[in-house]
Amino acid sequence: MAAPGTTGDEGGRQPGPTENIDSILTEERRFEPPASFSAGAHVKSLAEYQALRDAAERDPVAFWAGLARDELHWHRPFTSAFDDSRAPYYAWFGDGLLNVSFNCLDRHLAKNADKTAILFEGEPGDTRRISYAELHRRVCRFANALKMRGIGLGDRVIIYMPMVPEAVVAMLACARIGAIHSVVFGGFSSGSLRNRIEDASARTVITADGGHRGGKVIELKAACDTALSEGCKSVETVFVLRRAGNHVRMQHGRDLWWDEAESNLADECEPVWVDGEHPLFLLYTSGSTGKPKGIQHASAGYLVVVAATMKWVFDIRDSDIFWCTADIGWVTGHSYVAYGPLACGATVLMYEGAPTVPDAGRFWSICARHHVTIFYTAPTAIRALMKLGESFPARYDLSSLRLLGTVGEPINPEAWMWFHRVIGHERCPIVDTWWQTETGAIMIAPLPGAITTKPGSCTRPLPGIDADIVDANGHSIADFAQGGELVIRKPWPSMLRAVWGDDRRYRDTYWGKFDGRCYIAGDTAHRDHDGYFWILGRSDDVLKVSGHRLGTMEIESALVAHPRVAEAAVVGKPDETKGESIFAFVVPRGARPTGDAAGTLSAELRAWVAQQIGPIAKPDHIRYADSLPKTRSGKIMRRLLRDIARGEAITQDTSTLENEEIVRQLQGEP
Ligand code: WTA
């Protein structure tokens, strides 16, 4: 049965247009914005969207400058909106003065002091409501605690915490005093934590005794102790929040309990006014080669676009209860749990734990009990919950929902339709939002009151975002049937400013390919006749596992660090739920294990990778061979390995291989 708002026919799928992607389908279903939604929306029609886009195209700098004046409180207005004299090291609003925590807190106090800023639910079921006034007090107190330990302008602070409100307090406290935070996902191991502390030369770590996740206590302080015992000489202070009540060791002089550190400190803390370009945070993310990069964002430009996208894409209103399920350790948690909602004075819901505790109804139970109106999650979560059946969502009243969103990877039309029908009751528009750690904020997504959606497409670029799809020479691809590289042709305010400590890597990775003419996203995409974008996947060796970005190189390095591993190559294998699963080909030191010995070694290697990087990076499949297939120039033949991992017929010429027998070993033959 066609859903209301559907036009076009119900399927009409044909095999896809691009040769490098297996299963792109031509999707003909269309969903127009419900009239009732459009009527109350910030952007009400295609014409209004087009007018915004036209204005931005006529004069991009004036367009963004206008938004920066409207959306933010400036202590001293900027006179220079944009500086491209050092391209591609662009600057926005560089001579204005502002404070991000002031913009997220103080300016709401006159009208909204008692409004709930954060509505929290812990995995064990505890709940808290924190008003804007209280959040302001808590941020000021903790900022004072940081200052007491000598932290100030430009110092790096690592935040390694569970999904509790104090994680946001810590971020805003850093912003208040001009310190630069770098949040490390609580699921990362001590090794990953150590690398990030060392790369950022952080002076302080903010952590918790533990957090609740999947019915277990994740021992964050213990992991932190391990990291610090192996290096991290720059760290002088560790703040420890009491959360899970698990036993921890406190090192005298270095470790402080959060509550004790801030007792007796003032509830007020003067914001430090910083210039628009002052770094707000670093966030480490995987690239195709080498170690994770510290993606550096600037204060003003970042905040302008996250605030604007809250209105354009999420159509945020004063009465909304906004829930983004992302962890604070990923960019989505930064932009749409912390900074975006708070910059808009919205109420944001934070949930600490796993979606399946105590059962697969947890998300829907939270939506129903807290009257969530906007729900933003990842395709992998939708697919996982979809598999567990419709009876869970059916138990809960989801009528408060008015808008749904997805992020992190392409959403397959089936999952989109399930989300639309079972969660949105065919009433809520879905915004499929394409963006990246590097872009800071959403770049391509439907404006829900203005743009007709198609399942699986992130639709059209936002106003001011000059996205394009290009061929190997950087020329725009006019042919709708052909895929290419996704690029952004003009700088935008929330773009990354640097890779921490590595200017060259910034320039080469993001601007190197087409003579600095455009930003290279590292994704492939194609466009349909309506100008809609369809993201096909990564063009580099980055995997998207359960929506998390992992470099194959990082996993390979971890494997090779094991004494039994001589060489390793990791590729992604499509996975129904996780998007991609991790497939590792390993050349062991000594004899190639078979049978039980192979099983034992595989278990050991999986545990090893979990310990080195974190459980999300554990290979799902491991296969052993006496060597890896390489080209004559010594490059691993990754395409061949991908075909093997997928169990597909091998199309490459393997005659150049020194030992063709290897292919059979890699295919799993004894
Ligand atoms: C992928 C997450 C298809 C893409 C915000 C991108 C998507 C990478 C979408 C960035 C989407 C994100 N449709 N693919 N709606 N959103 N991606 O840095 O490959 O963790 O390059 O940022 O996720 O991942 P990151």
Side-chain angles (χ1 to χ4, degrees), residues 30-66:
R30 283 167 167 65
F31 297 87
E32 283 159 15
S36 58
F37 191 100
S38 300
H42 285 286
V43 181
K44 296 180 171 48
S45 63
L46 194 59
E48 283 190 22
Y49 158 78
Q50 200 55 54
L52 282 169
R53 267 198 75 81
D54 291 347
E57 217 171 290
R58 271 195 307 276
D59 190 343
V61 174
F63 175 79
W64 291 118

Side-chain angles (χ1 to χ4, degrees), residues 480-491:
F480 294 118
Q482 208 196 327
E485 283 234 37
L486 181 59
V487 298
I488 301 177
R489 290 200 175 274
K490 285 192 204 85

Side-chain angles (χ1 to χ4, degrees), residues 631-643:
T631 61
R632 284 190 187 234
S633 63
K635 273 193 169 171
I636 292 173
M637 297 168 76
R638 287 181 176 276
R639 220 173 108 202
L640 175 71
L641 292 178
R642 271 194 282 268
D643 286 349

Side-chain angles (χ1 to χ4, degrees), residues 609-669:
V609 173
Q611 189 206 329
Q612 297 280 308
I613 305 177
I616 49 169
K618 275 197 287 203
D620 300 278
H621 322 270
I622 301 181
R623 228 171 249 169
Y624 301 94
D626 295 326
S627 65
L628 293 174
K630 294 195 182 142
T631 61
R632 284 190 187 234
S633 63
K635 273 193 169 171
I636 292 173
M637 297 168 76
R638 287 181 176 276
R639 220 173 108 202
L640 175 71
L641 292 178
R642 271 194 282 268
D643 286 349
I644 293 174
R646 291 168 193 203
E648 284 167 3
I650 290 166
T651 50
Q652 285 100 318
D653 177 11
T654 53
S655 59
T656 55
L657 285 177
E658 274 172 39
N659 181 357
E660 283 197 66
E661 156 72 7
I662 292 303
V663 174
R664 279 200 302 283
Q665 287 180 9
L666 293 165
Q667 285 172 318
E669 287 175 24

Side-chain angles (χ1 to χ4, degrees), residues 203-223:
R203 295 184 60 192
T204 296
V205 179
I206 306 170
T207 188
D209 48 3
H212 300 279
R213 177 92 199 170
K216 290 187 291 216
V217 171
I218 308 296
E219 303 226 7
L220 295 166
K221 175 60 165 66

